[in-house]
Amino acid sequence: MPQDLRLLVHDLPLSSSYAGFPGDEEADTILIHDDWVRKQIQARKVEFTTSHKIRIRVGTFNVNGQLPNHSIASWIRGGLSTEATGTRRNILESPDILIFGFQELDLSAGALLYSTSTLLEEQWSTSILKCLEGHPASYIKFASRQLVGMLILGFVRKAQRPYISEISTTSLGIGIMGLMGNKGAVGLRFRFRSSVITCVCSHLAANDGMAEKRNYDYLQISHRMQFPLNAATPAEAAEPLRPVSSTIFETHILIWLGGMNQSYSHLNYRIELPLEEVFEMSIPPMTQKNISTLMGFDELLVAKRSRLCFDSFQEESIMFSPTYRYILNSNTLDPRRRPAWTDRIQHLVFPATSVRQVSYTSHPEICLSDHKPVSADYEVETNTVDPELHTKVIEGVLSSVKKLREPGANPQLRFSEKLISFGDVRQVQLDKAMLCLHQSHGFRYMQQVIRTVIVTNDGDGPCAFRVIPSQEGGRYAPPWIAVEPIYGLILPQKSLSIDIKLIVDSPTARILNTVGEIDSCLIVHLEYGLDHFLGISGRFLPTCFARSFDSLATFPKPIREHGYLESMPQSRAASIPKEFMRVIDWLMSHRLTEDSGQLFQTAAPSELLNTITECLDTGKEFPLEQSVSWSATEVTLAFGEILLRFFQALPHPIVPPSIFPANFEASLENRAEFLELLPPVAVNVWVTLLAFLQFACLQSGESSSSNDEAERIAAVFAPVLIGDTDGPYDGSMPTPLQKREFIKRLLLA
């Protein structure tokens, strides 16, 4: 049986340990040993497996009690589908396996009770097979499971049916009193060749304000749902330790589909914004900016970030309009209900299993229900295992670590270096016209640097190690340092590489801008042995980013020419940061004659962004006028991204939510009152930025009006200019559309 996926996608659950306190070394050693064995066997899988690629199509549909008709063909068969954003996604045309999940098949009063009727299942199965008639491949149904209004169906190409075995289905009701079948899940588990595939179709708690109940429903399904395992042969049935059931996570591939009553698979998760706000941004055709904005308030994603549910599940980026709620037989959103992506498909995969998602789309052309169906296509690599060769590999791997826990072993580790310095970072010349940065004596903002330490086992037996914190409950390293791996096993007279990665993003730069030097210690604990201490040092080259504009204005010279705390008093500060003005001046003097709509939209090459940043930090001239590496348009677009980065990296937005005008109509009439609430430097930055953005709006080409350009720019800058309060939306903070409208009005004033 496959291992529980939840144990494989996270770090091992090792015991609490810190410097001087080794923890439960015996238990930790066993975990590290078993993890190493599993990874070694998987690394050698080509020696005992033959791989086969198959295509799987998955669909979820809350049918709202409606019966099937011919309109579902595009959802069943696939094909090219036009998305809300106007893009088209490739969809598999001939899948090997099709899995379809349904919710709300039956809305009658009897739906609260369990029913043994298969009438609705037969109707939907017949309709699906009819849609597949005339398809180049011939399909048959191989499994089904219904629980009141929830149904999961499995179909397979006839030629692939012999490779499916160990089919098991199950259901779980978690509705009224935690038992009724109006909410819950149905599941299907089967083995394709040697790969176990599990699909769960759920229908979670509905209605706004029920996010916590939906999270609880997910946990109930995760903990309580079991698949019965039937023995394939009498000999297998006679085995005393044979497992009789499997959890949904004991699989190689887990696909969770269904309804989240306003934003999960039908997961029913919602968008935590006012109805009017969500409705206005959901009117098709939706822009990708509106989709991104709404997804920032999507209950499912918020819960996943907090690890409250669907931890480590993967979901392809959503590029389609909300799937709920529509007026029946139309593509018109119901103005009485908040639109949401309630119908979702997510997956969790065994680390060594290859799964590539090909598509993820809704089907707005199907108007059968108040929901739109959703589909996803996958390319999956399955394996056929040769038992004899598999056993041979396992025996070979186990024989190499048989001395791991034997008494008398003498674990000894040797490190290629124990003082790791990030002080000297060498940059290469980008081209003849570029700034040539050689010995930098430090590391920079938005730079990633990796140092590799070679660890050699000089002992006479395998040894296990782990990286531990210096204090109980602490981190093993500061947040800007990542170590890979943080535990492992090394065979005698063998070596292993430990990568120490330093990443300086905006939150890190806010800290390092004030301290400059890093001085840390990495502790590598050898199980049943000593602690080894690796010193980490380095010097951060200060940057003009990730500082408040008030602070930046107190540096009369380029930031690199000052010490970390050497600045002028506020009374002698500049009226506006010079670095900010250098970017504005470049954009004003190098305006885009074409492609103006790409400004603040197109991502620039990191090398170009780093060059501009370095010139801003050092005060050097921009060596870009005659660059042979990038066109003039690319350079201007990069400066636009740098301008946006200034505001994205701020410790706090230039306009705190506390001073955002409740009545911005009045503020537009009397801007002086609004500006009086901002610090003097922030006022100058605000006025200068708006003047430039107004100028940019006027540069729009024939394809875009000034109004359209103002709307586009406002959508980009409003989230970074005007802050949000901490925590979920509670009605007190400005909404995304309020922010946009405020900035847009100022741009068009």
Side-chain angles (χ1 to χ4, degrees), residues 158-315:
K158 286 184 178 180
Q160 300 283 24
R161 179 61 182 87
Y163 303 112
I164 290 182
S165 62
E166 301 178 25
I167 300 170
S168 179
T169 64
T170 189
S171 61
L172 178 69
I174 56 171
I176 299 172
M177 296 185 297
L179 296 171
M180 293 297 185
N182 59 317
K183 295 292 185 287
V186 288
L188 166 62
R189 183 185 191 271
F190 61 95
R191 185 180 294 273
F192 188 90
R193 297 184 185 268
S194 298
S195 300
V196 177
I197 300 172
T198 300
C199 300
V200 174
C201 170
S202 68
H203 191 204
L204 306 186
N207 300 322
D208 295 340
M210 295 290 286
E212 290 187 8
K213 179 61 169 67
R214 288 186 270 275
N215 295 339
Y216 177 76
D217 288 351
Y218 163 78
L219 293 175
Q220 287 290 299
I221 295 170
S222 298
H223 294 153
R224 293 171 52 194
M225 201 168 194
Q226 296 279 330
F227 288 95
L229 298 181
N230 299 317
T233 63
E236 184 179 328
E239 293 180 7
L241 299 180
R242 182 184 69 84
V244 296
S245 66
S246 163
T247 72
I248 64 177
F249 293 99
E250 291 172 314
T251 183
H252 294 113
I253 301 169
L254 171 57
I255 301 176
W256 196 308
L257 56 142
M260 306 184 187
N261 273 344
Q262 265 179 300
S263 274
Y264 278 57
S265 30
H266 201 285
L267 298 186
N268 272 336
Y269 284 85
R270 312 302 170 109
I271 298 170
E272 285 301 318
L273 283 175
L275 184 154
E276 299 79 8
E277 187 105 340
V278 180
F279 191 86
E280 183 173 341
M281 284 193 279
S282 299
I283 296 174
M286 287 185 74
T287 64
Q288 191 55 48
K289 189 66 180 177
N290 279 348
I291 291 178
S292 299
T293 298
L294 291 179
M295 291 306 295
F297 295 87
D298 177 72
E299 284 183 354
L300 175 57
L301 296 186
V302 171
K304 287 175 70 174
R305 284 193 293 267
S306 302
R307 302 184 68 172
L308 297 174
C309 65
F310 293 96
D311 186 24
S312 299
F313 274 79
Q314 298 177 51
E315 182 181 22

Side-chain angles (χ1 to χ4, degrees), residues 354-584:
S354 174
V355 173
R356 184 176 75 90
Q357 186 162 350
V358 178
S359 73
Y360 189 31
T361 185
S362 69
H363 295 266
E365 70 279 4
I366 299 176
C367 302
L368 182 67
S369 169
D370 57 354
H371 289 254
K372 298 299 181 182
V374 172
S375 64
D377 291 299
Y378 301 89
E379 286 185 346
V380 178
E381 183 180 282
T382 62
N383 297 301
T384 299
V385 176
D386 185 312
E388 291 185 6
L389 294 178
H390 190 202
T391 300
K392 184 178 179 180
V393 169
I394 292 174
E395 290 174 347
V397 171
L398 291 176
S399 67
S400 66
V401 289
K402 63 182 180 181
K403 294 183 180 180
L404 179 62
R405 296 186 297 276
E406 288 186 0
N410 183 25
Q412 296 179 14
L413 291 185
R414 173 167 47 90
F415 294 80
S416 59
E417 56 181 318
K418 286 197 170 183
L419 295 176
I420 296 94
S421 173
F422 288 93
D424 296 328
V425 180
R426 191 172 294 274
Q427 297 284 338
V428 297
Q429 184 169 342
L430 299 174
D431 66 44
K432 292 181 180 179
M434 299 300 297
L435 180 66
C436 184
L437 306 169
H438 288 299
Q439 201 69 22
S440 64
H441 303 292
F443 55 93
R444 296 174 173 78
Y445 174 60
M446 299 304 286
Q447 181 184 61
Q448 177 176 295
V449 188
I450 298 177
R451 296 285 185 263
T452 300
V453 177
I454 308 299
V455 186
T456 303
N457 179 6
D458 288 332
D460 54 8
C463 62
F465 72 90
R466 60 183 296 199
V467 180
I468 61 175
S470 60
Q471 297 179 341
E472 183 177 7
R475 296 175 55 97
Y476 67 80
W480 52 85
I481 293 177
V483 179
E484 178 64 32
I486 58 173
Y487 52 79
L489 184 144
I490 310 176
L491 296 179
Q493 309 307 312
K494 297 294 184 179
S495 299
L496 176 143
S497 297
I498 296 181
D499 288 335
I500 302 172
K501 183 186 300 183
L502 187 146
I503 308 169
V504 185
D505 55 10
S506 294
T508 298
R510 291 167 198 156
I511 299 172
L512 296 181
N513 264 333
T514 60
V515 299
E517 305 289 335
I518 64 168
D519 185 7
S520 186
C521 182
L522 203 63
I523 304 173
V524 180
H525 172 68
L526 179 58
E527 303 291 5
Y528 300 112
L530 302 175
D531 288 347
H532 296 263
F533 298 85
L534 307 183
I536 300 176
S537 63
R539 179 172 179 265
F540 177 64
L541 301 177
T543 180
C544 58
F545 292 91
R547 300 174 183 269
S548 69
F549 286 118
D550 281 349
S551 170
L552 192 57
T554 63
F555 293 89
K557 296 181 180 179
I559 201 75
R560 292 279 176 81
E561 296 185 20
H562 292 270
Y564 293 95
L565 300 176
E566 295 176 7
S567 60
M568 300 176 64
Q570 288 287 347
S571 59
R572 298 172 57 193
S575 60
I576 194 168
K578 57 192 174 304
E579 294 86 355
F580 172 77
M581 284 308 304
R582 289 184 69 187
V583 175
I584 293 291

Side-chain angles (χ1 to χ4, degrees), residues 5 30 85 161 167 172 282 408 499 539 605 655-656 679 683 685 697:
L5 288 176
I30 293 173
T85 56
R161 179 61 182 87
I167 300 170
L172 178 69
S282 299
D499 288 335
R539 179 172 179 265
V655 179
V683 170
V685 169
C697 290

Side-chain angles (χ1 to χ4, degrees), residues 206-208 262 270 275 279 324-325 333-339:
N207 300 322
D208 295 340
Q262 265 179 300
R270 312 302 170 109
L275 184 154
F279 191 86
Y324 176 86
R325 178 185 185 186
L333 287 165
D334 187 339
R336 298 168 300 175
R337 300 297 293 269
R338 270 192 296 183

Side-chain angles (χ1 to χ4, degrees), residues 9-76:
V9 296
H10 296 297
D11 292 331
L12 294 178
L14 301 177
S15 67
S16 176
S17 177
Y18 51 93
F21 181 76
D24 189 341
E25 289 188 293
E26 181 177 2
D28 292 342
T29 300
I30 293 173
L31 286 172
I32 293 172
H33 164 272
D34 293 348
D35 180 71
W36 182 88
V37 168
R38 178 183 60 80
K39 290 177 178 177
Q40 291 297 309
I41 293 172
Q42 288 299 324
R44 296 175 58 181
K45 70 176 184 178
V46 294
E47 299 178 30
F48 58 86
T49 64
T50 302
S51 64
H52 312 269
K53 284 191 175 180
I54 63 168
R55 296 162 295 182
I56 301 176
R57 180 170 179 79
V58 179
T60 180
F61 194 4
N62 183 314
V63 300
N64 190 36
Q66 305 299 309
L67 295 176
N69 60 33
H70 66 279
S71 71
I72 66 171
S74 61
W75 176 59
I76 301 299

